[in-house]
Amino acid sequence: MDFLQPTSLTEALDIMSAHPEALPILGGTDVMVELNFDRRRPAQIVDLGRVAELDDWGAENGRLRIGAGVTYARLIADLGERLPGLAIASRTVGSPQIRNRGTVGGNLGTSSPAGDGLPPLYVSDAEVELVSSEGRRRVPVERFITGPKRNSLAPGELISAFLIPEAEGPQQYAKIGTRNAMVIAVCSVALALHPSERQVAACVGSAGPTPIRALDAERFIAGVLEEGNLWESPRALGDTALRRFGELVELAARPISDVRGTAAYRLHAVGVLGERTLKWAWNDYCGGSR
Amino acid sequence: MRTTPLPRPAPAPVQRPGVVGETTTRIDGGPKVKGEFEYSSDLWADGMLWGATLRSPHPHATIWSIDISRALALPGVYAVLTHEDVPGRKVYGMEIPDQPVLAWERARYQGEAIALVAADHPETARRACDAIDVAYEVLEPLSDPERAMAADAPKLHLSGNVLRHITLRHGDQAATADVVMTGEYEVGSQDQAFLGPESGLAVPDGDGGVDLYIATQWLHVDRDQLAESLGLSPEQVRLTMAGVGGAFGGREDLSMQIHACMLALHTDRPVKIVYNREESFFGHVHRHPCRMHYEHGATRDGELVYVKARIVLDGGAYASSSTAVCSNAACFACGPYNVPSATVDCSVVYTNNPPCGAMRGFGAVQVAFGHESQMDKLAAALGIDPVELRIKNALAPGHRLPTGQVVREPAPVAELLERLRAMPLPPDASPGPRDLRELPGGVSNTTHGEDVRRGIGYGVGFKNVGFSEGFDDYATARVALSLDGDGDPLVSVHTAAAEVGQGVVTVQAQIARTELQVERVAVLTADTQVGSAGSSSASRQTYMTGGAVKMACEAVRERLLQRVADHAGLDPFDLSLAGGAVIDSRGETVATLAEALVSAPIEETVEFHHAETYPLDENGQGDAHLQLAFSAHRAVADVDTRLGLVRVVELATTQEVGKALNPQALDGQIDGGSAQGLGLALLEEIQIRDSQVLNASFTDYLLPTILDMPPVKKQVLEHPDPDAPYGLKGVGEPPNISTPPAVVAALRSACSRELARIPVRPEQLAGIDEPRRSRPPAPGSRGPAGARPTRS
């Protein structure tokens, strides 16, 4: 096994071009598990830890462009106010050690439906930036992730960044784990209010082959808010609306049963989380959070 | 001739311990916290090879052939061994030698060892394992212990599938009661989950013998089994304790010991084997999964009339210590209560599930969940406070156990409960926004207080200390009193007691310091150069090895006083030790220790045997147990009743310890035992389906973290046991026994559900047991809801 350590993105792309099947590693929090459990024996490993370009973030045409190498710890510390939903999700990832290493880029690369960084990207219609020696392309996250641990990354391509709008309203993320810390999601819900678009976006995680947007729930609540003119004159949502929203979130999920939980529980739980996250986010909105 | 120098353990560090009863910081504590402690996985010898183990992927299979030729041909491979290469007895086992060193003809559980490789690199060794061709014929696994007991079930061993059955009949078997309460309970398979995986280093001595550096619980029983299977005399097999990263019963059985020695003797090179976490789950026995059916009969005012219990323990593929676990489950099935009539049938059976054996609590943990759940149910039916019902029926000195054995002092069950009940409760949650870490789900942000209800529950438990049923349980200690190079007195203590994290090294030093009044004590590395200490299990090591060290010190003191008396022409009975000198009855110094020891050091080796115990008869009657240890727990838990998530707010406990030798180490045992009990109640289970393990990793076998484990309020009672050294009681296991029922009782009181199985899953707590709706599998999903999980 070759261990390759490029020091620039150009060099990394040259390597990927020469070895399109090489396995990139950054934080290593997923890759090292695979290697340690002997589930993968790649011929080449490309350590992207020295590629400084991946650690940058900044504004670009009204959105944030965040390098694939920005860790969860930095997302919390540096971007927590701009991206509160992603920051809440980041806080649920592993332990402090893992958050110092792990990245959203890694979550995208692994494309596990349980990746905590993914549902917040879905509810903000984020784009994934992919680069290869051929050039650069940007793909909506929903099209990037194609199935459980499957994505549209082409051989020789690297994930360089993701693009996401700054929050313009309250955002939430809630995750079920059997343990109160350091746990892989049994299931989760991300939710974001987009007041300028009169939209509430919701996405279930770890309750289907990929994160899934709860579009019926979104349409339902958009109607409720419109009907009551609640975006303009905010007031608390009634229990019936909250419960119906939760039911529709539940209907969006397509979970399996596995060692972490039963399908029935996952359905139930995403419904409850949908209801609660909407309540919290909407109450924040009513309370004047943007 | 030996070609490899042996790894030299550092000279025993000199401690300056406190006396018995004084908190003394453990000598291994600092290095462990700083990451400087040398564990068995850190062992190294020049020129060593790495061993690896090929394991059966099938829980039940016929092995038609094993072809090692491809593996042997790989560069860097020095040996590939199978059952044909076992030099001596091809099976091992502490009580019943029924487990193949390497399987032949049949594999009886997933992960059973089939072949061994020694190579110059661990990766090479693993690859060579992949190159061994085993022709299996997969057989249907016998996964259900109830099915295994059926007459028509296929026999997994020639002796049949019922490994032990205990019939216990006590009192009036026709007794009837005003109120009858039945219940079915189940306990899943807990793993010891020690953090230091199985590992050791075998070094051939060049003359056909071998030295093994090993993390184990009982050096001598390892040595005897090694000698048998290696075809060597016990003298040719020398064991030295290497740093143990936790044990909890999981190191009582052999794991890689024989394998490493076989490879070392075969290659004439040192061989190291270290399991990784996944292999560790297959490399040691687990806590027995258990199903229980209980029937309690009581008078209307809450006096227990009878207890009937039918208990089935899943022993897995091999015997390990199952027969003794079965005995404990039967003996303690009724709980620490005065039960006039008992009818207990307890079986442990072979299946194709992972082998089960010793784990902290040893059979008493499972039944405590059963009998305590029953007491709560009974209390609810009678309209009596659950603590009051327990106190009303509390076991006390003079009562008889269901085995007929008379309970001796101290057995303060009622006092433990009264004191526990009197301990202040944590304050209610403050109104207003709460720190997420104080809520069920923690920072996973699942509730901001919605649907959170608080519950309180109690549990009490007991078990035996030391080995029971007529086993001649003893420990050996060698104590030397000498002058060091500077002419200062020094006590050296040499035993084979395994320091598994409980603090036995420091407690030995404290005892020597106390008995010989010498401030400087060196506890030598445990090895087989001294006699057996017995196992670091059954909460027995402070009692047994502590007792042996005390007795050896007394023998040394006696010789010292005799020597001084002879020299001074005095009666030794008029002399005593004080402040580093021998003094007479008026307190005058007769000789300093330096003077008394200048001619020669004094060394004594003794064996300490505990009082005799007796086997159980055909009705489960007999004085089978040495000492009983008791503890009680109260749990306060907040439950998100809609999501089934839990935060245990506080654990409080009372425990009878006889005498706290090292209060800080005692605190550690109570904290650790409580955490392990909380883990069993809420999280820890090896999930097994069709005899296949589904979660052999710490990703999915969840241990409590610091955010799951609350602080433990403790109150220890010190009523001395007149027969025990210093009056002490074993302390390691009781907290593990009384925690799970207390936690589950708290959950029940919060969510009003039955919760008949532990670990309690969120599904149960939230009442989501049945599929809520079915729909066709979605494209890209792994199958319909409820489909078998895959091990990808």
Side-chain angles (χ1 to χ4, degrees), chain B residues 772-786:
Chain B
R772 282 157 60 82
R773 65 186 157 90
S774 60
R775 54 162 61 186
S781 78
R782 286 195 281 174

Side-chain angles (χ1 to χ4, degrees), chain A:
Chain A
M1 187 179 76
D2 298 325
F3 185 68
L4 307 165
Q5 291 191 293
T7 53
S8 70
L9 192 57
T10 317
E11 196 189 334
L13 294 177
D14 287 347
I15 290 171
M16 291 306 293
S17 162
H19 308 286
E21 301 301 325
L23 178 66
I25 182 170
L26 225 160
T29 60
D30 279 339
V31 171
M32 288 313 296
V33 174
E34 297 273 297
L35 296 179
N36 287 337
F37 276 79
D38 214 8
R39 290 183 195 133
R40 273 178 103 151
R41 290 192 179 183
Q44 291 90 22
I45 287 187
V46 185
D47 172 20
L48 299 175
R50 292 159 193 228
V51 178
E53 292 101 310
L54 299 178
D55 294 337
D56 290 339
W57 65 265
E60 188 194 288
N61 298 331
R63 289 193 295 180
L64 292 165
R65 182 187 173 280
I66 299 170
V70 173
T71 62
Y72 292 111
R74 284 182 61 205
L75 284 172
I76 297 165
D78 302 348
L79 288 156
E81 297 204 350
R82 292 181 177 86
L83 300 170
L86 189 56
I88 297 171
S90 299
R91 278 187 208 101
T92 76
V93 174
S95 59
Q97 294 92 325
I98 297 293
R99 294 194 287 275
N100 284 337
R101 295 288 305 173
T103 63
V104 172
N107 253 191
L108 289 164
T110 301
S111 298
S112 160
D116 291 309
L118 303 179
L121 267 49
Y122 276 62
V123 293
S124 290
D125 293 316
E127 281 190 323
V128 184
E129 182 184 283
L130 308 171
V131 283
S132 69
S133 50
E134 310 288 304
R136 189 173 81 164
R137 62 186 179 118
R138 288 175 173 178
V139 187
V141 66
E142 243 174 299
R143 280 206 285 123
F144 173 73
I145 293 173
T146 54
K149 302 205 171 178
R150 290 203 300 271
N151 57 45
S152 56
L153 198 66
E157 249 179 348
L158 290 174
I159 301 163
S160 49
F162 62 96
L163 293 103
I164 187 167
E166 242 183 71
E168 53 147 343
Q171 300 186 341
Q172 281 292 341
Y173 180 78
K175 149 177 155 181
I176 301 282
T178 316
R179 182 162 71 183
N180 287 336
M182 287 175 59
V183 68
I184 294 179
V186 172
C187 57
S188 65
V189 168
L191 182 134
L193 304 193
H194 302 297
S196 66
E197 294 164 43
R198 299 280 191 268
Q199 188 199 16
V200 175
C203 177
V204 298
S206 205
T210 67
I212 303 169
R213 279 283 286 270
L215 296 173
D216 285 345
E218 294 181 10
R219 278 190 282 267
F220 162 76
I221 202 66
V224 171
L225 297 172
E226 209 57 56
E227 213 168 277
N229 195 28
L230 297 180
W231 289 105
E232 273 69 36
S233 355
R235 62 179 184 276
L237 282 164
D239 286 347
T240 318
L242 289 170
R243 198 166 310 123
R244 182 63 189 148
F245 180 78
E247 283 165 12
L248 290 168
V249 169
E250 179 183 331
L251 279 166
R254 288 182 280 146
I256 57 166
S257 290
D258 64 14
V259 290
R260 291 173 196 145
T262 61
Y265 176 75
R266 287 183 158 115
L267 289 171
H268 165 77
V270 293
V272 175
L273 294 182
E275 188 181 320
R276 288 184 184 170
T277 51
L278 174 62
K279 187 182 87 177
W280 301 334
W282 186 253
N283 285 351
D284 280 354
Y285 183 78
C286 296
S289 294
R290 298 207 212 182

Side-chain angles (χ1 to χ4, degrees), chain B residues 32-62:
Chain B
K32 280 177 175 166
V33 170
K34 287 190 272 185
E36 292 165 357
F37 186 80
E38 189 186 55
Y39 290 98
S40 55
S41 50
D42 301 320
L43 291 162
W44 191 271
D46 290 340
M48 74 182 186
L49 301 174
W50 295 82
T53 313
L54 175 70
R55 295 177 182 277
S56 170
H58 310 294
H60 199 194
T62 303

Side-chain angles (χ1 to χ4, degrees), chain B residues 196-275:
Chain B
E198 293 85 345
S199 46
L201 174 69
V203 186
D205 69 7
D207 290 320
V210 65
D211 287 87
L212 178 66
Y213 298 81
I214 182 71
T216 183
Q217 287 179 242
W218 189 354
L219 288 166
H220 287 74
V221 84
D222 280 13
R223 182 200 60 187
D224 294 348
Q225 294 181 85
L226 277 162
E228 284 273 9
S229 288
L230 295 172
L232 298 174
S233 69
E235 295 72 36
Q236 288 175 290
V237 183
R238 293 161 299 269
L239 273 66
T240 303
M241 190 67 69
V244 181
F248 314 109
R251 290 188 215 270
E252 269 208 328
D253 293 86
L254 296 178
S255 56
M256 42 56 67
Q257 286 91 326
I258 305 175
H259 299 161
C261 292
M262 279 173 61
L263 290 169
L265 290 166
H266 189 90
T267 59
D268 203 26
R269 297 269 291 266
V271 173
K272 174 172 170 172
I273 295 182
V274 182
Y275 292 175

Side-chain angles (χ1 to χ4, degrees), chain B residues 442-626:
Chain B
V443 295
S444 293
N445 190 39
T446 49
T447 179
H448 294 173
E450 295 89 349
D451 304 298
V452 174
R453 279 164 60 183
R454 179 160 291 188
I456 301 172
Y458 287 82
V460 57
F462 74 144
K463 90 171 282 286
N464 52 335
V465 172
F467 291 158
S468 298
E469 291 190 88
F471 188 90
D472 180 17
D473 193 3
Y474 73 95
T476 315
R478 181 180 299 153
V479 171
L481 180 57
S482 63
L483 301 177
D484 68 7
D486 298 328
D488 294 323
L490 174 73
V491 189
S492 303
V493 180
H494 192 184
T495 72
E499 173 60 79
V500 295
Q502 81 278 44
V504 75
V505 165
T506 298
V507 99
Q508 291 177 70
Q510 287 179 274
I511 290 171
R513 159 92 169 82
T514 305
E515 296 302 324
L516 293 173
Q517 308 237 336
V518 171
E519 283 181 12
R520 298 165 64 253
V521 184
V523 178
L524 276 57
T525 300
D527 57 28
T528 51
Q529 308 293 310
V530 64
S532 174
S535 180
S536 286
S537 63
S539 301
R540 65 180 283 288
Q541 206 57 284
T542 301
Y543 192 125
M544 296 304 300
T545 289
V549 171
K550 179 171 187 282
M551 196 170 140
C553 288
E554 286 162 358
V556 166
R557 187 171 62 207
E558 198 175 314
R559 271 185 53 199
L560 175 74
L561 298 182
Q562 185 70 53
R563 180 188 285 180
V564 172
D566 289 351
H567 197 259
L570 296 168
D571 185 339
F573 292 102
D574 293 333
L575 301 180
S576 58
L577 261 178
V582 176
I583 58 170
D584 62 19
S585 48
R586 291 163 303 153
E588 301 287 326
T589 297
V590 181
T592 64
L593 280 182
E595 289 163 352
L597 294 167
V598 71
S599 57
I602 297 173
E603 182 180 294
E604 284 288 343
T605 304
V606 303
E607 269 183 16
F608 175 77
H609 294 249
H610 72 52
E612 200 172 352
T613 62
Y614 301 89
L616 297 172
D617 69 14
E618 69 279 6
N619 285 319
Q621 301 295 295
D623 292 349
H625 303 299
L626 172 71

